[in-house]
Amino acid sequence: MSNIKFDFSEKTALITGAGQGIGLQIVKDFISSGAHVIAWEKSKDNITELKKNLATDKLTVQEVDVSETKSCQKSAESLQEPIDFLVNNAGILRDKSFAKMTWEDYSSVIETNLNGVFRVTQSLLPHFNSENFKRIVNLSSVVALYGNFGQSNYVAAKAGVIGLTKVWARELAKKSFTVNAIAPGCIQTDIFKNTDSKILDSLISKIPVGRMGLTKDISQTCLFLCSKEASYINGAVLEVTGGLTV
């Protein structure tokens, strides 16, 4: 899949969960499109890899735990420039059936995947540019739309993200924001690295386009939602699933 050419020169994008998978791809594509990227990442190992593999003056990396209010506020206050785009991507998994899921399993996912979106966005709101061009993109999931076995915590969080997206789309539009969500389907990341081939084949058989999604399928959707071409899209939830839910 070739890059769609967006020009984000003179723009600054802040990405959470930027050290691997979809978040890393979003970072790379924003940089390729000319933006300065501020990467918020919790894992020290991922931060080391980011700095080593993306050695560019267009990247600033900060160690941030989105599940901690003070961490978000401190990092937001340290920003040296206003931001134009925010992509809330950070998330964790703690999958178990409902009967076996502990409160810690549940609350840790809610704290990062849902409350993290709230605290990150609230801490950064005063740090957006003063122009009439601001974008917030929240990463939800297709499972938020129809549920998934063993993911009470994840589904609840991602459904909540859709709710926040729609409220903010209404509240922030008058301040020149658009706020949208992306609901990825089965995306080819490390999550599936050790999955049995028969299980993968069964999964792919349910996807009309006949393949799993690529991280670039999500990153290019994200860049589009941040572009001027998407200026009339607000409060939307874009399913990027290959037709999984058709």
Side-chain angles (χ1 to χ4, degrees):
M1 180 179 179
S2 59
N3 274 352
I4 302 168
K5 296 300 181 183
F6 295 103
D7 183 5
F8 292 128
S9 303
E10 310 302 322
K11 299 295 183 183
T12 298
L14 192 148
I15 321 297
T16 70
Q20 61 183 345
I22 291 171
L24 178 58
Q25 188 67 59
I26 293 171
V27 169
K28 289 178 178 178
D29 284 358
F30 264 118
I31 290 174
S32 295
S33 299
H36 174 223
V37 173
I38 301 168
W40 280 12
E41 172 61 41
K42 178 181 177 180
S43 164
K44 289 182 170 59
D45 289 342
N46 287 345
I47 288 172
T48 299
E49 289 298 309
L50 263 175
K51 291 179 177 179
K52 183 173 72 174
N53 297 326
L54 294 176
T56 169
D57 59 3
K58 289 186 174 294
L59 177 65
T60 300
V61 183
Q62 294 181 308
E63 183 180 343
V64 184
D65 183 351
V66 303
S67 69
E68 296 290 341
T69 299
K70 288 183 179 179
S71 179
C72 295
Q73 290 176 342
K74 182 179 178 180
S75 297
E77 290 166 2
S78 73
L79 294 178
Q80 300 299 306
E81 60 190 302
I83 64 173
D84 303 282
F85 315 133
L86 167 61
V87 181
N88 282 302
N89 170 71
I92 61 173
L93 291 170
R94 297 288 186 272
D95 294 355
K96 286 179 185 174
S97 67
F98 174 60
K100 295 179 180 179
M101 185 172 288
T102 66
W103 177 251
E104 175 58 27
D105 294 327
Y106 181 81
S107 61
S108 62
V109 171
I110 296 294
E111 203 58 58
T112 295
N113 297 16
L114 177 58
N115 297 346
V117 173
F118 179 92
R119 63 170 59 88
V120 166
T121 306
Q122 193 170 68
S123 68
L124 288 170
L125 210 56
H127 300 278
F128 274 83
N129 70 59
S130 58
E131 301 173 5
N132 296 325
F133 184 52
K134 309 175 186 75
R135 302 282 189 261
I136 298 172
V137 179
N138 298 323
L139 269 291
S140 181
S141 171
V142 71
V143 301
L145 305 175
Y146 67 88
N148 197 34
F149 186 91
Q151 290 194 312
S152 295
N153 46 11
Y154 189 79
V155 170
K158 291 302 187 179
V161 167
I162 290 175
L164 290 178
T165 298
K166 291 184 177 293
V167 173
W168 296 346
R170 288 179 178 272
E171 291 185 355
L172 299 178
K174 62 181 178 292
K175 298 181 180 179
S176 302
F177 284 85
T178 63
V179 187
N180 294 290
I182 300 173
C186 300
I187 306 301
Q188 196 171 316
T189 64
D190 286 346
I191 292 173
F192 293 100
K193 185 167 60 176
N194 298 317
T195 303
D196 183 270
S197 60
K198 290 183 179 179
I199 295 175
L200 283 179
D201 289 344
S202 175
L203 187 60
I204 292 170
S205 71
K206 299 173 184 176
I207 303 172
V209 302
R211 68 170 176 88
M212 295 182 69
L214 305 175
T215 54
K216 189 169 285 293
D217 292 318
I218 306 304
S219 64
Q220 291 292 298
T221 304
C222 181
L223 266 63
F224 168 66
L225 288 173
C226 289
S227 70
K228 290 184 177 179
E229 286 77 8
S231 62
Y232 204 59
I233 301 175
N234 187 37
V237 182
L238 294 190
E239 293 184 43
V240 186
T241 68
L244 181 63
T245 59
V246 172

